[in-house]
Amino acid sequence: HKDINWLMKAYPKCFNRKNPKPLKREIFKDIVLGELWPHSKKRLRQTLGYYTRSPLYQKAILQESHRYSLEGEAIQEIRDHEKEYAIELLNITERDKNLDSSE
C-alpha cells in the first residue's frame, strides 16, 4: 500500500508496517495540520483505517501501554476497552482465516 509507505517516510518514528506502534487518538488531525499529506482527507482516513485494522497493529495495542505521536513519543495510555476491542478484531480475523481455509 503506497500511502502507508508515504506515511512511513514522512513519520518514521511513528509508522512501521512490520513493527507498528499504537497511534495517538485522532492522529489524523495531526497529519492534516502538518500539511504534508498530498492526497484527500478521505484517502488519509482510508489509509489509517487499513493500517490500524492489521493484525500486527492490533497485537501492538495489546502489547503496548501507550499510544504514540508522530514524533514517536508515548503520549496516551491505551484504555482497557481499546485492548478488548483489539482482541475482538483479532478473533474476527482468525475466524475469517479459518473459514477461508475450510472452503
Side-chain angles (χ1 to χ4, degrees):
H1 201 279
K2 65 183 178 183
D3 290 338
I4 291 174
N5 290 339
W6 186 94
L7 288 169
M8 291 188 327
K9 285 180 188 168
Y11 306 107
K13 293 180 180 177
C14 182
F15 289 91
N16 184 318
R17 193 187 305 258
K18 293 181 182 172
N19 189 20
K21 292 180 179 178
L23 303 177
K24 170 189 166 194
R25 284 183 285 281
E26 300 194 25
I27 203 160
F28 169 87
K29 292 178 183 177
D30 297 346
I31 296 169
V32 170
L33 289 174
E35 298 182 3
L36 296 175
W37 179 251
H39 307 293
S40 70
K41 290 179 182 179
K42 179 181 179 181
R43 187 160 163 181
L44 177 56
R45 285 192 196 283
Q46 291 170 335
T47 301
L48 290 172
Y50 178 82
Y51 183 81
T52 59
R53 282 190 301 274
S54 80
L56 277 179
Y57 182 88
Q58 295 305 316
K59 288 176 184 173
I61 292 284
L62 295 175
Q63 294 166 352
E64 296 278 345
S65 61
H66 286 79
R67 293 177 171 275
Y68 292 83
S69 68
L70 293 175
E71 296 79 27
E73 298 171 12
I75 59 167
Q76 296 170 331
E77 278 194 53
I78 297 174
R79 301 169 182 157
D80 289 342
H81 74 272
E82 293 169 326
K83 289 187 181 276
E84 290 166 11
Y85 184 66
I87 290 169
E88 285 178 37
L89 289 179
L90 286 167
N91 287 340
I92 289 169
T93 302
E94 195 59 36
R95 186 193 72 219
D96 289 350
K97 269 191 215 171
N98 290 338
L99 287 175
D100 289 344
S101 65
S102 66
E103 292 176 1

